[in-house]
Amino acid sequence: MSIVQDNLERLQALKELDGISQDDLDSLNNPHKISYVELEVNNKKYPAWRILYSSDLGPGKGGIRFHSDVSEDEVQSLAFWMTLKNSLADIPYGGAKGGIKFDPKKADRNELEAVSRAYAQAFHQVLGQDVDVPAPDVYTNSQTMAWMLDEYEKIIGHHEPGMITGKPVELGGIKLRADATAQGGYFVAQEMVKEFLRDRQPEDVRVAVQGFGNAGLFMAEKMAADNFKIVAVSDSQGGIYNEDGLNISSLSAYKAGGKNVGTYSEGRAITNAELLELDVDILVLAALENQITIANADKIKARHIIELANGPIDLAADKHLDAKGTVIVPDILANSGGVIVSYFEWAQNRTGQILDEEYLKGLLEKKMRNNWSRMFNLYKEKGNVSLRQAAYILAVRRVLAAKHWRS
Ligand code: NAD
């Protein structure tokens, strides 16, 4: 089943669970606009997409991914999740996503720049601070955003920093954005521990983290700093396990030196499949979608899962884990810290005001904890829904309310 079909089935369940009408659900079935271009750079062709799923709540908002597996199904699903995430986060954005089918690991800096600039040229008409606002995602970063902003501003002939977020600070970005996804995820993880692992001390809570990039690395650092025992982490080449807990700062330095975590000496090398199946208290998924499917769902021993990645558990596996009683903190809440801070960056660019960093950090924390509470209260009130379904209900209600006001 494609991820898009999975999502539509997840939506359909809301008819029974929250009495949402079929017409309302059908109105969420299709993206508003799919833009597709084949980029041509140095005689090579790269399929590229920008998909605006919804603009009911505001301009589109969502990252741009560079990966050799990018497809229309994937970008559309990511744009759908952005719609729900932005709605749940209570920020004034619709949902969108972009991607280029391209392996950035095989490209040098010149090619990365050329591909990034080609993307901005191809899609400039469907982007803009009031239209659709991109940000970094897998294998894109502040440098990618800087090239895209520069190219866009050359085309439109004036400055418009609010057209993209996750920029370098010197181009209008904000420092807080760098680890915002993990910071937001960590606030939610603390709430989850308070509710579901109440009697445990952090040093007795064993954690495995899949993915050691922007989301996973910062999450591992934050949890380790508060004494959670990080027993395993992985990147695309494999993982490392140490039952006494890994030294995350030393491992981060090792990774920053261009090495893969699986070759780190203070632990036993494991495969990514093994990491997912470890008997841990918390499994943090921070790599890519569809990591837990029906093929491995019955081997998952973790009792609590935090989805920092988008869509890491497919629908069939979700149902299986739910039936088993696994607590899953859904992606649309767990990783929303990144887009919330992107919103702060965009708002600052729009108003020209410089907002105090400590104030913004406090606002992020307040929003994350508040959004957890809204989801958790509905979960308890309904009694027959998962955390994900509670989050979906809140998100869909807000998008539909905006649609109704507009009709
Ligand atoms: P990144 O490019 O910084 O890091 C990705 C990491 O995943 C790398 O360490 C890579 O080696 C690893 N990886 C790739 N394939 C893997 C595999 N099969 N098994 C284990 N590890 C694998 O990307 P990121 O920004 O950290 O994004 C990770 C996930 O978080 C994505 O799903 C992304 O959509 C989501 N997310 C990121 C942000 C953000 O602000 N960066 C915000 C919201 C959601």
Side-chain angles (χ1 to χ4, degrees):
M1 199 194 265
S2 78
I3 321 180
V4 166
Q5 281 170 324
D6 255 24
N7 288 333
L8 297 185
E9 205 180 314
R10 280 187 165 124
L11 271 185
Q12 280 308 312
L14 304 191
K15 201 165 133 188
E16 294 258 301
L17 296 172
D18 200 44
I20 297 175
S21 75
Q22 190 61 51
D23 281 354
D24 276 348
L25 289 175
D26 288 349
S27 73
L28 301 171
N29 279 354
N30 294 304
H32 184 71
K33 189 180 176 73
I34 298 179
S35 306
Y36 169 79
V37 170
E38 200 171 57
L39 303 178
E40 204 167 334
V41 178
N42 299 336
N43 297 321
K44 283 184 245 162
K45 292 187 172 165
Y46 303 108
W49 291 265
R50 185 71 195 173
I51 298 185
L52 176 63
Y53 202 93
S54 162
S55 50
D56 293 303
L57 290 163
K61 183 86 192 83
I64 297 173
R65 173 173 298 195
F66 289 178
H67 198 282
S68 44
D69 290 340
V70 165
S71 65
E72 187 164 309
D73 183 74
E74 182 185 59
V75 180
Q76 184 170 323
S77 303
L78 289 160
F80 169 81
W81 289 322
M82 284 310 301
T83 304
L84 298 189
K85 189 188 307 183
N86 295 335
S87 175
L88 181 69
D90 211 10
I91 50 181
Y93 287 140
K97 202 82 182 189
I100 308 182
K101 190 171 167 54
F102 158 66
D103 184 355
K105 288 183 182 169
K106 291 192 182 139
D108 62 16
R109 190 184 154 86
N110 287 340
E111 194 171 1
L112 283 173
E113 176 173 354
V115 169
S116 304
R117 288 187 184 277
Y119 189 91
Q121 281 164 15
F123 294 110
H124 75 274
Q125 279 172 326
V126 294
L127 301 177
Q129 63 179 7
D130 293 316
V131 185
D132 183 359
V133 184
D137 190 66
V138 173
Y139 297 138
T140 55
N141 54 29
S142 56
Q143 176 64 80
T144 326
M145 301 301 108
W147 286 325
M148 289 185 178
L149 174 66
D150 186 62
E151 195 61 31
Y152 178 83
E153 289 182 338
K154 274 183 190 149
I155 295 168
I156 63 165
H158 60 85
H159 285 295
E160 191 186 304
M163 70 75 55
I164 206 159
T165 60
K167 304 176 286 290
V169 174
E170 292 75 10
L171 297 185
I174 53 180
K175 254 198 349 228
L176 211 59
R177 182 64 182 83
D179 66 349
T181 300
Q183 184 61 69
Y186 186 48
F187 291 138
V188 164
Q190 287 176 320
E191 296 294 326
M192 194 272 290
V193 167
K194 235 191 275 170
E195 293 296 342
F196 293 99
L197 286 160
R198 196 168 304 175
D199 306 323
R200 305 276 291 277
Q201 293 305 311
E203 50 273 27
D204 300 326
V205 177
R206 291 158 45 83
V207 182
V209 182
Q210 187 205 31
F212 208 54
N214 181 288
L217 187 151
F218 286 127
M219 183 69 162
E221 282 187 352
K222 287 173 198 302
M223 294 192 87
D226 276 356
N227 294 325
F228 285 91
K229 193 186 274 185
I230 315 291
V231 294
V233 305
S234 65
D235 58 28
S236 62
Q237 304 305 305
I240 185 85
Y241 175 80
N242 183 330
E243 63 180 20
D244 297 325
L246 292 158
N247 179 334
I248 296 298
S249 14
S250 149
L251 192 53
S252 305
Y254 184 73
K255 177 84 182 164
K259 308 263 186 29
N260 292 309
V261 296
T263 56
Y264 183 66
S265 59
E266 286 163 39
R268 172 169 66 83
I270 54 172
T271 63
N272 257 305
E274 284 174 303
L275 179 134
L276 295 175
E277 295 163 15
L278 287 172
D279 189 3
V280 289
D281 299 298
I282 303 178
L283 173 62
V284 177
L285 299 174
L288 294 169
E289 54 273 9
N290 287 348
Q291 296 302 299
I292 302 183
T293 66
I294 207 58
N296 60 354
D298 62 340
K299 299 185 193 134
I300 304 300
K301 299 179 199 72
R303 302 290 295 159
H304 309 87
I305 299 180
I306 298 175
E307 294 185 328
L308 276 193
N310 287 303
I313 303 176
D314 80 0
L315 178 62
D318 206 19
K319 287 182 182 166
H320 184 92
L321 293 172
D322 217 25
K324 220 164 69 166
T326 310
V327 172
I328 302 172
V329 184
D331 48 6
I332 64 165
L333 173 70
N335 69 30
S336 60
V339 73
I340 290 173
V341 172
S342 273
Y343 163 67
F344 299 159
E345 179 180 334
W346 176 82
Q348 188 163 288
N349 295 152
R350 304 294 309 269
T351 60
Q353 265 187 311
I354 297 172
L355 299 173
D356 176 68
E357 206 180 308
E358 283 309 305
Y359 163 74
L360 292 179
K361 208 169 168 188
L363 204 54
L364 171 67
E365 175 167 4
K366 199 165 151 189
K367 264 194 158 305
M368 292 305 302
R369 294 196 195 279
N370 186 34
N371 292 340
W372 161 274
S373 297
R374 288 166 56 228
M375 176 191 74
F376 191 69
N377 291 343
L378 187 65
Y379 161 81
K380 282 199 299 193
E381 183 190 311
K382 290 230 171 230
N384 64 339
V385 299
S386 62
L387 291 174
R388 188 190 313 281
Q389 285 165 333
Y392 269 48
I393 289 170
L394 292 170
V396 165
R397 281 182 188 169
R398 183 168 174 246
V399 177
L400 289 177
K403 273 188 188 293
H404 287 160
W405 282 112
R406 286 175 188 281
S407 62

